[in-house]
Amino acid sequence: MPANDPAHTAPPLIAGLLLAAGGGRRLGGRPKALLPYRGRPLVENAVRVLREAGCRPVHVVLGASAAEVRERADLSGCVVVDNPDWAQGMGSSLRVGLASLAGTGADAALVSLVDQPGIGPAAVARVLGAYRSPTSLAAAAYEGERGHPVLFGADRWADIAATATGDKGARVHLARHADELMLVECADIAEAFDIDTPPDLARLL
């Protein structure tokens, strides 16, 4: 069989990019990465989800209490990067994370948030399955509403980084390219709640 036969085409390399820099302002300043979940820091669960879904490599962006997170959480095997400007919002963490993927050879990045433990490997894998090319743009949807995780083909990273400011993250890019966005319904296998306020902590039990 010829070497260039489609059967020999390598599967895409899709990196997991976990944004875990938040300081938990509405949680009394408790860094979200270190919230306890099943006996371990919440960030470890988020890393496990990405790995079990098939993301390689996994990059983790830290910010609030980064040194403490490195000390207390097992992030072995991950590329861990610090965002000194984390307080400026999610956009800065997304820029730092995408920059860290330069030179990895990744065809796409699957971006997830540390504070969404209701989203497991099945939903992440479903979004990964939407990859078609380095221009791919896909996101999980919950009863038709766009949510996380979001998949960005590598050809889109530069524009996303250029427009990711404040807490907007990739919203500017997504709005500009709404007609190209593939929504992947995941409400049947995941819950997209965030851990933002003290009452939300009950969801971690």
Side-chain angles (χ1 to χ4, degrees):
M1 194 175 287
N4 62 353
D5 186 275
H8 290 272
T9 302
L13 182 65
I14 303 180
L17 178 54
L18 176 62
L19 305 185
R25 178 177 53 83
R26 287 182 285 173
L27 291 168
R30 300 171 65 184
K32 290 188 176 183
L34 289 176
L35 292 175
Y37 182 64
R38 297 178 179 175
R40 297 297 303 166
L42 187 58
V43 65
E44 291 184 12
N45 173 73
V47 167
R48 176 190 60 80
V49 167
L50 291 174
R51 285 180 170 153
E52 289 186 5
C55 292
R56 297 289 188 279
V58 173
H59 287 216
V60 181
V61 180
L62 300 181
S65 302
E68 185 180 0
V69 176
R70 288 173 180 269
E71 180 181 339
R72 291 177 51 190
D74 181 3
L75 299 176
S76 55
C78 297
V79 175
V80 183
V81 293
D82 291 342
N83 174 19
D85 300 320
W86 63 269
Q88 295 181 7
M90 187 188 301
S92 64
S93 290
L94 183 56
R95 292 196 306 272
V96 167
L98 290 174
S100 76
L101 293 174
T104 62
D107 299 295
L110 188 291
V111 180
S112 68
L113 307 181
V114 72
D115 66 341
Q116 294 189 317
I119 300 174
V124 175
R126 191 176 284 183
V127 177
L128 290 180
Y131 177 85
R132 298 291 181 272
S133 75
T135 64
S136 287
L137 185 64
Y142 302 89
E143 298 183 351
E145 294 294 321
R146 176 174 58 80
H148 283 86
V150 184
L151 184 143
F152 301 120
D155 288 356
R156 297 184 179 272
W157 296 353
D159 184 66
I160 292 169
T163 57
T165 58
D167 277 322
K168 293 179 181 178
R171 279 183 286 185
V172 172
H173 185 87
L174 291 168
R176 288 177 178 172
H177 301 276
D179 58 335
E180 302 166 48
L181 175 65
M182 179 186 298
L183 291 179
V184 182
E185 185 57 52
C186 292
D188 58 317
I189 54 174
E191 294 182 276
F193 59 83
D194 301 318
I195 306 299
D196 285 331
T197 64
D200 297 333
L201 294 174
R203 291 180 175 270
L204 294 176
L205 300 178

